[in-house]
Amino acid sequence: MRMRHTTKARRGAAAAVLAAVMALTAAGCGDDGGGGGGKADGDGSRASGKASAQRGEAKNRPEGQAPSDAIGEMKGPDGIALAITSVVRDEGGFVTVNGTLTNRGSRPFNAIHWLSKETEMKSRSSISGASLVDASGKKRYLVLRDTDGECLCSTGLTNIKPSESRPVFAQFPAPPADVNEVDFQLPTMPSVHVKISG
């Protein structure tokens, strides 16, 4: 009799644990509905759900193919590729470049060569060395930085494993309103010609 009681107790405890695990799993899968609740983290990526979706898209994409929403792509040494997905002019006088960085090579990638050469720039393994070039106006626009010396761009781009993708961004001063096309440049990569929207 005592043995049956113990077995029932164990089953009840197991059911309670299973219900708790399922509740936590359901909560973890929830979506904020895109209502602006996701804050930018230190790397400038929005919500982790968006990053996970981009990684999933990269895994399902044929080898060597840019994302479907790419407006330009840069391919560098060791299989590194950066697909530019948007270049948007903001009302505040900025231009924000968004993209997806993918390691199509066979070794982990660290973005140490993409660092700005400005001595005050603190960010390591970032795209702080990126620039926008207005060829017609003969002007180069560098990545903006905050009062602490951090770039307004993706940082912490270290140990990007083969087949891994990460969302990236960089913010620049906006060229004059009549400039709608620029070249996006990044050290060690060929430049890409892109159109500014917004």
Short mmCIF file of all heavy atoms in Angstrom, two decimals, residues 114-160:
data_model
loop_
_atom_site.label_atom_id
_atom_site.label_comp_id
_atom_site.label_asym_id
_atom_site.label_seq_id
_atom_site.Cartn_x
_atom_site.Cartn_y
_atom_site.Cartn_z
N TRP A 114 38.36 45.77 -38.73
CA TRP A 114 37.32 46.74 -39.11
C TRP A 114 37.25 47.89 -38.12
O TRP A 114 36.39 48.76 -38.22
CB TRP A 114 35.96 46.06 -39.19
CG TRP A 114 35.87 45.05 -40.30
CD1 TRP A 114 36.81 44.80 -41.28
CD2 TRP A 114 34.80 44.15 -40.56
NE1 TRP A 114 36.37 43.81 -42.11
CE2 TRP A 114 35.14 43.39 -41.69
CE3 TRP A 114 33.59 43.91 -39.93
CZ2 TRP A 114 34.32 42.42 -42.23
CZ3 TRP A 114 32.75 42.93 -40.45
CH2 TRP A 114 33.12 42.20 -41.59
N LEU A 115 38.17 47.93 -37.16
CA LEU A 115 38.21 48.96 -36.14
C LEU A 115 38.67 50.29 -36.72
O LEU A 115 39.55 50.34 -37.59
CB LEU A 115 39.17 48.52 -35.03
CG LEU A 115 39.35 49.43 -33.84
CD1 LEU A 115 38.07 49.49 -33.02
CD2 LEU A 115 40.49 48.94 -32.97
N SER A 116 38.09 51.39 -36.23
CA SER A 116 38.50 52.72 -36.66
C SER A 116 39.94 52.99 -36.25
O SER A 116 40.41 52.52 -35.22
CB SER A 116 37.58 53.77 -36.01
OG SER A 116 38.10 55.06 -36.22
N LYS A 117 40.64 53.75 -37.06
CA LYS A 117 42.03 54.11 -36.75
C LYS A 117 42.10 55.32 -35.83
O LYS A 117 43.17 55.73 -35.40
CB LYS A 117 42.79 54.38 -38.04
CG LYS A 117 42.80 53.18 -38.97
CD LYS A 117 44.09 53.09 -39.72
CE LYS A 117 44.12 51.94 -40.70
NZ LYS A 117 43.93 50.65 -40.12
N GLU A 118 40.95 55.92 -35.49
CA GLU A 118 40.94 57.03 -34.56
C GLU A 118 41.39 56.53 -33.18
O GLU A 118 40.85 55.56 -32.67
CB GLU A 118 39.54 57.64 -34.45
CG GLU A 118 39.06 58.29 -35.73
CD GLU A 118 37.64 58.81 -35.56
OE1 GLU A 118 37.47 59.82 -34.88
OE2 GLU A 118 36.74 58.17 -36.10
N THR A 119 42.34 57.22 -32.58
CA THR A 119 42.90 56.73 -31.32
C THR A 119 41.91 56.82 -30.16
O THR A 119 42.01 56.07 -29.21
CB THR A 119 44.16 57.53 -30.96
OG1 THR A 119 43.83 58.93 -30.94
CG2 THR A 119 45.28 57.30 -31.95
N GLU A 120 40.94 57.73 -30.24
CA GLU A 120 39.99 57.89 -29.14
C GLU A 120 38.91 56.80 -29.14
O GLU A 120 38.21 56.63 -28.16
CB GLU A 120 39.29 59.26 -29.21
CG GLU A 120 40.24 60.44 -29.09
CD GLU A 120 40.81 60.86 -30.43
OE1 GLU A 120 40.44 60.25 -31.46
OE2 GLU A 120 41.63 61.79 -30.47
N MET A 121 38.75 56.12 -30.24
CA MET A 121 37.67 55.12 -30.36
C MET A 121 37.98 53.92 -29.47
O MET A 121 39.02 53.30 -29.58
CB MET A 121 37.53 54.67 -31.81
CG MET A 121 36.30 53.86 -32.09
SD MET A 121 34.78 54.81 -32.06
CE MET A 121 34.85 55.65 -33.62
N LYS A 122 37.06 53.60 -28.56
CA LYS A 122 37.27 52.51 -27.60
C LYS A 122 36.83 51.15 -28.14
O LYS A 122 37.35 50.13 -27.71
CB LYS A 122 36.48 52.79 -26.32
CG LYS A 122 36.96 54.00 -25.55
CD LYS A 122 36.10 54.19 -24.32
CE LYS A 122 36.52 55.41 -23.53
NZ LYS A 122 35.65 55.61 -22.35
N SER A 123 35.85 51.12 -29.01
CA SER A 123 35.24 49.87 -29.45
C SER A 123 36.24 48.96 -30.14
O SER A 123 36.95 49.37 -31.04
CB SER A 123 34.08 50.16 -30.41
OG SER A 123 33.20 51.08 -29.84
N ARG A 124 36.30 47.71 -29.70
CA ARG A 124 37.14 46.70 -30.32
C ARG A 124 36.25 45.69 -31.04
O ARG A 124 35.11 45.50 -30.66
CB ARG A 124 37.98 45.96 -29.27
CG ARG A 124 38.77 46.86 -28.34
CD ARG A 124 39.86 47.65 -29.00
NE ARG A 124 41.05 46.88 -29.17
CZ ARG A 124 42.06 47.28 -29.95
NH1 ARG A 124 41.98 48.41 -30.60
NH2 ARG A 124 43.13 46.56 -30.08
N SER A 125 36.78 45.05 -32.05
CA SER A 125 36.01 44.05 -32.81
C SER A 125 34.64 44.60 -33.18
O SER A 125 33.60 44.04 -32.87
CB SER A 125 35.87 42.76 -32.00
OG SER A 125 37.12 42.17 -31.80
N SER A 126 34.67 45.75 -33.87
CA SER A 126 33.44 46.42 -34.27
C SER A 126 33.56 46.80 -35.74
O SER A 126 34.56 46.52 -36.38
CB SER A 126 33.23 47.68 -33.43
OG SER A 126 34.23 48.65 -33.74
N ILE A 127 32.53 47.48 -36.24
CA ILE A 127 32.61 48.03 -37.61
C ILE A 127 32.79 49.55 -37.54
O ILE A 127 32.32 50.28 -38.39
CB ILE A 127 31.40 47.62 -38.47
CG1 ILE A 127 30.08 48.09 -37.87
CG2 ILE A 127 31.38 46.12 -38.68
CD1 ILE A 127 28.91 47.88 -38.82
N SER A 128 33.51 50.00 -36.52
CA SER A 128 33.73 51.44 -36.33
C SER A 128 34.60 52.05 -37.43
O SER A 128 34.62 53.27 -37.59
CB SER A 128 34.37 51.71 -34.97
OG SER A 128 35.61 51.04 -34.85
N GLY A 129 35.29 51.23 -38.22
CA GLY A 129 36.10 51.74 -39.32
C GLY A 129 35.33 51.91 -40.62
O GLY A 129 35.90 52.28 -41.64
N ALA A 130 34.02 51.68 -40.59
CA ALA A 130 33.19 51.83 -41.79
C ALA A 130 33.04 53.30 -42.16
O ALA A 130 33.22 54.19 -41.31
CB ALA A 130 31.81 51.21 -41.56
N SER A 131 32.72 53.56 -43.41
CA SER A 131 32.48 54.93 -43.86
C SER A 131 31.51 54.95 -45.03
O SER A 131 31.33 53.94 -45.71
CB SER A 131 33.80 55.62 -44.26
OG SER A 131 34.42 54.93 -45.33
N LEU A 132 30.86 56.09 -45.19
CA LEU A 132 30.01 56.35 -46.35
C LEU A 132 30.72 57.38 -47.21
O LEU A 132 31.21 58.39 -46.69
CB LEU A 132 28.65 56.91 -45.93
CG LEU A 132 27.66 55.98 -45.24
CD1 LEU A 132 26.35 56.73 -44.97
CD2 LEU A 132 27.40 54.74 -46.06
N VAL A 133 30.79 57.13 -48.50
CA VAL A 133 31.47 58.06 -49.41
C VAL A 133 30.49 58.62 -50.42
O VAL A 133 29.82 57.86 -51.13
CB VAL A 133 32.65 57.36 -50.13
CG1 VAL A 133 33.30 58.30 -51.14
CG2 VAL A 133 33.67 56.88 -49.12
N ASP A 134 30.40 59.94 -50.43
CA ASP A 134 29.62 60.66 -51.44
C ASP A 134 30.60 61.06 -52.54
O ASP A 134 31.32 62.05 -52.42
CB ASP A 134 28.97 61.89 -50.81
CG ASP A 134 28.33 62.83 -51.83
OD1 ASP A 134 28.15 62.42 -52.99
OD2 ASP A 134 28.03 63.97 -51.45
N ALA A 135 30.65 60.25 -53.60
CA ALA A 135 31.63 60.48 -54.67
C ALA A 135 31.40 61.80 -55.39
O ALA A 135 32.34 62.52 -55.72
CB ALA A 135 31.61 59.32 -55.66
N SER A 136 30.13 62.15 -55.61
CA SER A 136 29.83 63.38 -56.33
C SER A 136 30.22 64.61 -55.51
O SER A 136 30.76 65.59 -56.02
CB SER A 136 28.35 63.45 -56.71
OG SER A 136 27.55 63.39 -55.55
N GLY A 137 29.97 64.58 -54.21
CA GLY A 137 30.32 65.71 -53.35
C GLY A 137 31.73 65.63 -52.81
O GLY A 137 32.20 66.53 -52.12
N LYS A 138 32.42 64.51 -53.10
CA LYS A 138 33.79 64.26 -52.65
C LYS A 138 33.91 64.39 -51.14
O LYS A 138 34.79 65.07 -50.61
CB LYS A 138 34.76 65.21 -53.35
CG LYS A 138 34.78 65.01 -54.86
CD LYS A 138 35.77 65.91 -55.54
CE LYS A 138 35.75 65.66 -57.03
NZ LYS A 138 36.63 66.58 -57.78
N LYS A 139 33.00 63.71 -50.43
CA LYS A 139 33.02 63.73 -48.97
C LYS A 139 32.93 62.31 -48.42
O LYS A 139 32.25 61.45 -48.99
CB LYS A 139 31.86 64.56 -48.42
CG LYS A 139 32.05 66.05 -48.63
CD LYS A 139 30.99 66.82 -47.88
CE LYS A 139 31.21 68.32 -48.06
NZ LYS A 139 30.19 69.11 -47.35
N ARG A 140 33.63 62.11 -47.31
CA ARG A 140 33.59 60.83 -46.60
C ARG A 140 32.97 61.07 -45.22
O ARG A 140 33.36 61.99 -44.51
CB ARG A 140 35.00 60.26 -46.44
CG ARG A 140 35.06 58.94 -45.67
CD ARG A 140 36.50 58.48 -45.49
NE ARG A 140 37.13 58.27 -46.77
CZ ARG A 140 37.10 57.11 -47.44
NH1 ARG A 140 36.43 56.08 -46.94
NH2 ARG A 140 37.71 57.00 -48.60
N TYR A 141 32.01 60.20 -44.85
CA TYR A 141 31.34 60.31 -43.56
C TYR A 141 31.73 59.12 -42.70
O TYR A 141 31.57 57.97 -43.12
CB TYR A 141 29.82 60.35 -43.76
CG TYR A 141 29.38 61.54 -44.58
CD1 TYR A 141 29.30 61.45 -45.98
CD2 TYR A 141 29.05 62.75 -43.98
CE1 TYR A 141 28.91 62.54 -46.75
CE2 TYR A 141 28.66 63.85 -44.74
CZ TYR A 141 28.59 63.73 -46.12
OH TYR A 141 28.21 64.82 -46.87
N LEU A 142 32.26 59.41 -41.50
CA LEU A 142 32.72 58.36 -40.59
C LEU A 142 31.62 57.98 -39.60
O LEU A 142 30.68 58.75 -39.37
CB LEU A 142 33.95 58.83 -39.83
CG LEU A 142 35.13 59.28 -40.70
CD1 LEU A 142 36.28 59.76 -39.81
CD2 LEU A 142 35.59 58.17 -41.63
N VAL A 143 31.76 56.81 -38.99
CA VAL A 143 30.79 56.33 -38.01
C VAL A 143 30.75 57.30 -36.83
O VAL A 143 31.79 57.74 -36.33
CB VAL A 143 31.15 54.91 -37.51
CG1 VAL A 143 30.22 54.47 -36.40
CG2 VAL A 143 31.11 53.92 -38.66
N LEU A 144 29.54 57.63 -36.39
CA LEU A 144 29.38 58.52 -35.24
C LEU A 144 29.78 57.80 -33.96
O LEU A 144 29.81 56.57 -33.91
CB LEU A 144 27.92 58.96 -35.14
CG LEU A 144 27.42 59.86 -36.27
CD1 LEU A 144 25.90 59.98 -36.20
CD2 LEU A 144 28.06 61.24 -36.18
N ARG A 145 30.08 58.58 -32.93
CA ARG A 145 30.39 57.99 -31.63
C ARG A 145 29.75 58.81 -30.53
O ARG A 145 29.42 59.99 -30.73
CB ARG A 145 31.89 57.88 -31.42
CG ARG A 145 32.61 59.18 -31.47
CD ARG A 145 34.09 58.96 -31.36
NE ARG A 145 34.79 60.22 -31.52
CZ ARG A 145 36.03 60.31 -31.88
NH1 ARG A 145 36.71 59.23 -32.16
NH2 ARG A 145 36.61 61.48 -31.98
N ASP A 146 29.59 58.19 -29.37
CA ASP A 146 28.98 58.89 -28.25
C ASP A 146 30.04 59.59 -27.40
O ASP A 146 31.23 59.55 -27.72
CB ASP A 146 28.12 57.92 -27.41
CG ASP A 146 28.94 56.80 -26.76
OD1 ASP A 146 30.17 56.95 -26.61
OD2 ASP A 146 28.35 55.77 -26.41
N THR A 147 29.61 60.22 -26.31
CA THR A 147 30.53 61.00 -25.48
C THR A 147 31.54 60.13 -24.73
O THR A 147 32.54 60.63 -24.24
CB THR A 147 29.75 61.85 -24.46
OG1 THR A 147 28.87 60.99 -23.72
CG2 THR A 147 28.93 62.92 -25.17
N ASP A 148 31.28 58.82 -24.65
CA ASP A 148 32.21 57.91 -23.99
C ASP A 148 33.23 57.33 -24.97
O ASP A 148 34.05 56.49 -24.59
CB ASP A 148 31.46 56.77 -23.31
CG ASP A 148 30.62 57.26 -22.14
OD1 ASP A 148 31.06 58.21 -21.46
OD2 ASP A 148 29.53 56.71 -21.92
N GLY A 149 33.16 57.73 -26.23
CA GLY A 149 34.09 57.22 -27.22
C GLY A 149 33.67 55.93 -27.88
O GLY A 149 34.43 55.34 -28.65
N GLU A 150 32.46 55.47 -27.59
CA GLU A 150 31.96 54.25 -28.22
C GLU A 150 31.30 54.60 -29.54
O GLU A 150 30.60 55.60 -29.65
CB GLU A 150 30.95 53.54 -27.32
CG GLU A 150 31.56 52.93 -26.07
CD GLU A 150 32.52 51.79 -26.37
OE1 GLU A 150 32.33 51.09 -27.39
OE2 GLU A 150 33.46 51.60 -25.60
N CYS A 151 31.51 53.74 -30.53
CA CYS A 151 30.90 54.00 -31.83
C CYS A 151 29.41 53.73 -31.78
O CYS A 151 28.94 52.92 -30.98
CB CYS A 151 31.56 53.14 -32.91
SG CYS A 151 31.13 51.38 -32.84
N LEU A 152 28.66 54.41 -32.63
CA LEU A 152 27.24 54.12 -32.80
C LEU A 152 27.16 53.05 -33.90
O LEU A 152 26.77 53.31 -35.04
CB LEU A 152 26.47 55.38 -33.17
CG LEU A 152 26.48 56.47 -32.09
CD1 LEU A 152 25.67 57.68 -32.54
CD2 LEU A 152 25.94 55.94 -30.78
N CYS A 153 27.60 51.87 -33.54
CA CYS A 153 27.68 50.76 -34.48
C CYS A 153 27.73 49.45 -33.70
O CYS A 153 27.85 49.46 -32.47
CB CYS A 153 28.92 50.89 -35.37
SG CYS A 153 30.50 50.67 -34.52
N SER A 154 27.68 48.35 -34.42
CA SER A 154 27.77 47.04 -33.79
C SER A 154 29.17 46.80 -33.26
O SER A 154 30.16 47.08 -33.93
CB SER A 154 27.42 45.93 -34.80
OG SER A 154 26.08 46.04 -35.18
N THR A 155 29.24 46.33 -32.01
CA THR A 155 30.51 46.00 -31.37
C THR A 155 30.47 44.55 -30.91
O THR A 155 29.45 43.87 -31.02
CB THR A 155 30.78 46.93 -30.17
OG1 THR A 155 29.72 46.73 -29.21
CG2 THR A 155 30.82 48.39 -30.58
N GLY A 156 31.57 44.07 -30.37
CA GLY A 156 31.61 42.70 -29.87
C GLY A 156 31.52 41.65 -30.95
O GLY A 156 31.01 40.56 -30.71
N LEU A 157 32.01 41.98 -32.14
CA LEU A 157 31.95 41.03 -33.26
C LEU A 157 33.14 40.08 -33.19
O LEU A 157 34.08 40.15 -33.97
CB LEU A 157 31.92 41.79 -34.59
CG LEU A 157 30.73 42.72 -34.77
CD1 LEU A 157 30.86 43.52 -36.06
CD2 LEU A 157 29.42 41.93 -34.76
N THR A 158 33.09 39.18 -32.21
CA THR A 158 34.17 38.23 -31.99
C THR A 158 33.65 36.80 -32.05
O THR A 158 32.49 36.53 -31.78
CB THR A 158 34.82 38.44 -30.60
OG1 THR A 158 33.82 38.28 -29.59
CG2 THR A 158 35.44 39.82 -30.49
N ASN A 159 34.56 35.91 -32.42
CA ASN A 159 34.26 34.47 -32.45
C ASN A 159 32.98 34.15 -33.20
O ASN A 159 32.13 33.39 -32.73
CB ASN A 159 34.19 33.91 -31.02
CG ASN A 159 34.30 32.39 -31.00
OD1 ASN A 159 34.94 31.79 -31.85
ND2 ASN A 159 33.65 31.76 -30.04
N ILE A 160 32.86 34.73 -34.39
CA ILE A 160 31.71 34.41 -35.25
C ILE A 160 32.05 33.10 -35.96
O ILE A 160 32.96 33.04 -36.79
CB ILE A 160 31.44 35.54 -36.25
CG1 ILE A 160 31.15 36.83 -35.49
CG2 ILE A 160 30.29 35.19 -37.18
CD1 ILE A 160 31.03 38.05 -36.35
#
